[in-house]
Each structure stands twice: as C-alpha cells, then as structure tokens.
C-alpha cells in the first residue's frame, strides 16, 4: 500500500461502483462515481485544492491571507481543511438553513461562519459574500461559481478517471450546482470519447433539492456561461426532493452511504435509463451521507424525510 506525504495527495482518484442492479432498464448499466471518498467527504475537495493552488501560484493568496467564500457546506468545509493546513484564515458565508453537521465540520477546521438569511438560500449567501469581499479588499474570495479552476480540475482529473474506469460510457449525468463537475467532466468526455451525451439534473424552479440548482431561479453561475453550458448539455431532467430521498435509500440498499445529491443523481440516471434503448450511464455521488444524518433521510417516514429535505439546503 502506498504511503502519502500529505492529505492533498488523497484528493481525487475516487472509485467507481457498478450499481446496474438499480437500473430500471436491463439494457442500461449504471455506474456511480463515489466522490465521498475524498478526505473531507465530498467532490468539493478537488475544487478547493485547485482554487487555492491557483491563487497561490498567481500571488492572489499571500501568507496568512483571509479567504471568504459563500457555501452551503461542502466547499466551505474543504476550504477550511486546506486553509487550516496552509495557514489561512477562512470565513464561510453560510445560509441559515443548512444541516448542523455542516456547521460542526466548519467548527472542527476552525472556519468562521458568517450567517446569511435562510429564506434567501444559497443565492443570498453569494450576494452577501460578494458584498463583504468588496467592503474588505484585503480578503480573498475564490468564488467557486466563477473560478475557472472549478471546471478545469474536473477536466484534468475527474473526467479522465471516468473515461479510464468506464471507457464504454454513453451518458454522463450530474447535478447543476456550481456546474463545475458537469462542465469539466462533460467537456472532457465529449472531446475524448465518441458519442457521449451529457444530461443535467436540476430541481423544479422554487424547490430545493440537495446539491442542485435550478437555472430558472435567477442565478446562472458565470462558469456555466463561460464554459458553454447551454451548448454542452444534451438534456436537462427535473428531480424532486421525494425522488432524491427515495434514490438515496436505494443507494443505501447497495451499501453506498450517500448524500442526498447522490440520490438526486441516481434518480436522474434512472430517468435517463428509461429514455434510451441501451447504454452505459455514469453519475456522480458527490458526498457521503454523514452530513445529513440529522434529517432522518434514511430512517424517518418518507413523507417526514421529504418535508425536512424541502426546508434545508445541504450542498
């Protein structure tokens, strides 16, 4: 077994699991890319490391700099972990309606939490962080929604990993959050493999689904536009909170302890499987489920779990 020199070396290289038993179409195979195996338990470790590395290389970050970033959890936790190791002060603008586990992990890594109004969701956190960054020019906002390092790291790492693990992939399914995973992986696969389609999963406008964003809610991440998201996507699918919870429980039946966005991605992959005759679908399980235990997503009555999911932002 290899010995690693730093925790940074454990970021990426995540496993892919064949979960074709969950496919509603026997002619369509399903594979889950398990990003919860990153050090802080989510795909955002890749993004946080890439953004910090780039900011250090171009001089944006100096020793003992202060980082401010809007996040509903995963990116903030990853930035807090890496920032603590590298000597940066980290401030995370966090919506009031996130799970307690997210706040606790930010506390573990020493980040300062700046609360934004719960009713404004993640869009409100973005607005407040932008205001604070402008008012405090000595603070550095890496801005995952507009930082080219976000899709680029998925183009350099996640995409090639998927192509190597599942070379016969026909469809890639991922959620619309910051859109970095969707765009980086999608562009890589389309450029290096013939005929791959990229299908996005999003909630209905006005509804919250863990890990997802509806472009119809009024905020389009700059990287979505800069990376040609509208042209890259072959199809968008709607996934509701109930779909996500049900699919999260299906993953648990397979031994995969996934966050709710992983369930949403599986729900999207299952929908895709009913709309094609045959194929191979890879979807992203963005994080582990321990950040959502307080929701009772696995143990409560389904209606109660769905009600909790509709009230809380967790991506």
């Amino acid at each position: 077994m290899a010995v690693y020199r730093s925790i940074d070396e454990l970021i990426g290289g995540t496993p892919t699991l064949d979960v074709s038993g969950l496919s509603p179409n026997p002619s369509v195979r399903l594979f889950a890319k398990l990003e919860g195996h990153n050090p802080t338990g989510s795909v955002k470790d890749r993004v946080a490391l890439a953004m910090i590395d780039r900011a250090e290389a171009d001089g944006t970050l100096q020793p003992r700099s202060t980082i401010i970033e809007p996040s509903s959890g995963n990116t903030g936790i990853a930035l807090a972990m890496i920032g603590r190791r590298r000597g940066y002060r980290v401030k995370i603008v966090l919506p009031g309606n996130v799970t307690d586990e997210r706040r606790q992990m930010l506390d573990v890594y020493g980040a300062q939490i700046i609360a934004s109004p719960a009713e404004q969701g993640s869009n409100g956190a973005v607005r407040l962080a932008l205001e604070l960054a402008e008012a405090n020019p000595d603070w550095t906002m890496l801005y995952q929604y507009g930082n080219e390092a976000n899709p680029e790291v998925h183009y350099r790492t996640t995409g090639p990993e998927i192509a190597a693990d599942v070379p016969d992939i026909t469809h890639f399914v991922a959620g619309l959050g910051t859109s970095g995973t969707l765009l980086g992986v999608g562009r890589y696969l389309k450029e290096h493999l013939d005929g791959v389609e990229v299908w996005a999963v999003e909630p209905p406008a006005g509804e919250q689904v863990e890990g997802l964003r509806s472009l119809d809610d009024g905020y389009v991440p700059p990287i979505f536009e800069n990376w040609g998201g509208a042209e890259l996507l072959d199809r968008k699918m709607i996934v509701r909170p109930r779909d996500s919870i049900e699919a999260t429980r299906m993953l648990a039946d397979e031994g995969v302890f996934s966050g709710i966005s992983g369930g949403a991605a599986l729900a999207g992959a299952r929908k895709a499987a009913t709309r094609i005759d045959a194929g191979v679908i890879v979807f992203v399980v963005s994080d582990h489920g321990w950040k959502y235990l307080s929701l009772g997503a696995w143990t409560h009555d389904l209606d109660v779990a769905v009600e909790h999911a509709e009230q809380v932002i967790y991506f």
Side-chain angles (χ1 to χ4, degrees):
M1 182 176 292
V3 175
Y4 297 91
R5 295 168 297 174
S6 82
I7 198 72
D8 294 354
E9 295 180 358
L10 297 181
I11 295 174
T14 55
T16 300
L17 181 68
D18 187 338
V19 291
S20 297
L22 300 178
S23 176
N25 182 343
S27 297
V28 177
R29 299 166 65 199
L30 300 182
F31 291 85
K33 179 70 167 162
L34 302 180
E35 288 296 300
H37 286 250
N38 284 298
T40 75
S42 90
V43 67
K44 295 300 185 178
D45 284 8
R46 297 182 191 255
V47 176
L49 179 63
M51 292 195 301
I52 287 178
D53 281 347
R54 171 175 285 199
E56 289 178 343
D58 66 19
T60 301
L61 282 176
Q62 299 292 328
R64 300 194 61 77
S65 288
T66 295
I67 296 171
I68 184 168
E69 186 73 13
S71 174
S72 296
N74 280 334
T75 303
I77 293 167
L79 286 172
M81 183 274 281
I82 299 169
R84 178 171 180 167
R85 293 188 58 251
R86 300 195 184 185
Y88 301 123
R89 301 177 183 90
V90 178
K91 301 176 185 291
I92 301 300
V93 181
L94 196 71
N97 51 338
V98 300
T99 57
D100 289 340
E101 293 92 339
R102 302 252 173 162
R103 294 188 183 88
Q104 291 166 356
M105 284 305 299
L106 288 168
D107 288 338
V108 165
Y109 290 123
Q112 178 188 351
I113 297 173
I114 300 173
S116 63
E119 66 274 11
Q120 296 180 16
S122 60
N123 289 350
V126 172
R127 286 191 293 269
L128 179 55
L130 288 168
E131 292 170 6
L132 291 171
E134 183 176 359
N136 297 273
D138 56 327
W139 295 358
T140 298
M141 184 168 166
L142 299 175
Y143 195 31
Q144 60 176 325
Y145 296 94
N147 195 314
E148 291 290 309
N150 181 353
E152 283 178 0
V153 73
H154 292 298
Y155 184 90
R156 289 189 293 104
T157 66
T158 322
E161 290 170 22
I162 290 173
D165 290 345
V166 191
D168 54 346
I169 179 175
T170 61
H171 294 75
F172 176 65
V173 173
L176 274 170
T178 66
S179 72
T181 306
L182 187 80
L183 298 173
V185 174
R187 178 181 288 187
Y188 181 89
L189 294 176
K190 281 181 173 271
E191 289 180 359
H192 291 83
L193 298 175
D194 292 333
V196 175
E197 294 192 9
V198 177
W199 292 22
V201 175
E202 66 175 353
E207 291 191 25
Q208 296 176 24
V209 175
E210 186 278 318
L212 305 187
R213 170 187 303 280
S214 172
L215 298 181
D216 293 333
D217 280 337
Y219 179 77
V220 178
I223 57 173
F224 184 83
E225 295 183 330
N226 295 343
W227 277 59
E231 295 76 28
L232 181 73
L233 298 186
D234 293 288
R235 181 175 291 194
K236 291 194 294 183
M237 296 173 290
I238 298 297
V239 171
R240 298 179 180 276
R242 179 176 290 270
D243 303 327
S244 303
I245 296 294
E246 290 177 337
T248 301
R249 294 181 176 187
M250 291 180 187
L251 285 169
D253 291 339
E254 297 293 310
V256 178
F257 184 42
S258 163
I260 314 304
S261 66
L266 170 60
R270 283 169 52 83
K271 284 191 175 185
T274 66
R275 297 175 183 178
I276 61 177
D277 294 329
V280 177
I281 299 173
V282 176
F283 64 96
V284 176
V285 177
S286 294
D287 63 356
H288 274 317
W290 52 264
K291 302 185 188 77
Y292 317 103
L293 285 170
S294 58
L295 295 177
W298 298 267
T299 54
H300 288 350
D301 175 82
L302 181 60
D303 289 336
V304 174
V306 170
E307 181 181 356
H308 289 173
E310 291 173 339
Q311 296 172 354
V312 177
I313 297 175
Y314 347 90
F315 74 94

